[in-house]
Amino acid sequence: MAEVSLRQLSKVYAGGVEAVSDVSLDVTDGEMIVLVGPSGCGKSTTLRMIAGLEEVTSGDILIGNRSVVGVPPAKRDIAMVFQNYALYPHMTVGQNMEFGLRMRGVARAARQQRVADVAGQLGIAELLQRRPRELSGGQRQRVALGRAMVRDPQVFLLDEPLSNLDAKLRVQTRGEIAALHRRLGATMIYVTHDQVEAMTLGDRLVLMEGGRVRQVGTPREIYDRPANAFAATFIGSPAMNMLSGDVRGGQLTLSGNPIRRPVAKSIADGPLRVGIRPEHLLFGSRPGVVSLVELGGAEVVAAEYLGHETLFRTSLAGHELLVRTANPSVAIGDRVLLACDASHVHLFAATGDQPRVEEGP
Ligand code: ADP
């Protein structure tokens, strides 16, 4: 297995689209790193440059400390698993899986042994004689994974491998990929637009937007301390409530309503973005919670009962806030006091890249 490093990697496509801008990243040996972000943010282009399927415009890619820019894909010691499986339809599962080994001149007996081993690990040994069209989507994806595994590559690259599967199978296969990663101890770079998939699979996430990296961190780091308003709203479901606030002399207001949330004197007067996750909003005050911030009276506009919790849409001084709570005793039309623990109020600059506003001591 190997480390992968990207150094100021950029890609400008013919026609001038800058798909990837100045991406630097160190993936450690054995890590599962997930490139995540909305469609068109440059995830696939980044992965395809690592694979050697796309030329690099500038910057460098190192696999195990060796620069691979200019090295053909077959010589990079990587294996890629695609969304559409890319299996050869006229070959059996076994032939598909051993194809890469055959191209490398591995002897027949060794190939078959290796295919049998991997098929056993993936639970597809009984499928080796079938053709891809005789398989379900989940089985095809397993064969595609198997084909990558037989070569025992230094790095696995996975491009939205679950997106053609139905919801239930996606969850199951996601668990299998996580288990496979643990068992193989392999370096894996995984691309998805699905933040839940990213959160559940990644040791670390690389959050991308518009070709640039907006934050790198463990799922928990990004959830707890999003580096900017984009990270705050992209990670977490339902998304973080984002309100327009204002600071005047250390006092935060929302639409002119002061909320009892003093902010550090180091924060300059002016507009701010104020983020609060739906799961951190409370109805009413909580005696004993010292750091409680009361946001003010809100009206309950809609409710979605989900069994284990309810999502309430509320309106507070012209702001819409989603509240996620296990307490369903509130009804549409009720007036409620919205509150939140002060440590769960995130502040971001209102301009530029909207970075997190740090409150000094
Ligand atoms: P993602 O994988 O995050 O959806 P991509 O890496 O596929 O994003 O695309 C990033 C940007 O590059 C998009 O604006 C896309 O339209 C553009 N793009 C992708 N492939 C090509 C190509 N072959 N030629 C020109 N532009 C492309």
Side-chain angles (χ1 to χ4, degrees), residues 52-90:
L53 301 175
E54 207 66 73
E55 255 179 55
V56 167
T57 304
S58 62
D60 202 359
I61 300 169
L62 299 117
I63 299 180
N65 294 321
R66 174 177 77 123
S67 173
V68 295
V69 171
V71 175
K75 297 232 158 74
R76 292 193 182 193
D77 204 6
I78 45 108
M80 189 145 169
V81 179
F82 298 92
Q83 162 179 355
N84 58 7
Y85 323 123
L87 300 174
Y88 295 111
H90 59 286

Side-chain angles (χ1 to χ4, degrees), residues 13-14 17-20 37-46 54 159-160 191:
Y13 280 111
V17 177
E18 185 161 22
V20 175
S39 178
C41 72
K43 309 176 293 290
S44 291
T45 301
T46 303
E54 207 66 73
D159 192 357
E160 302 257 7
V191 160

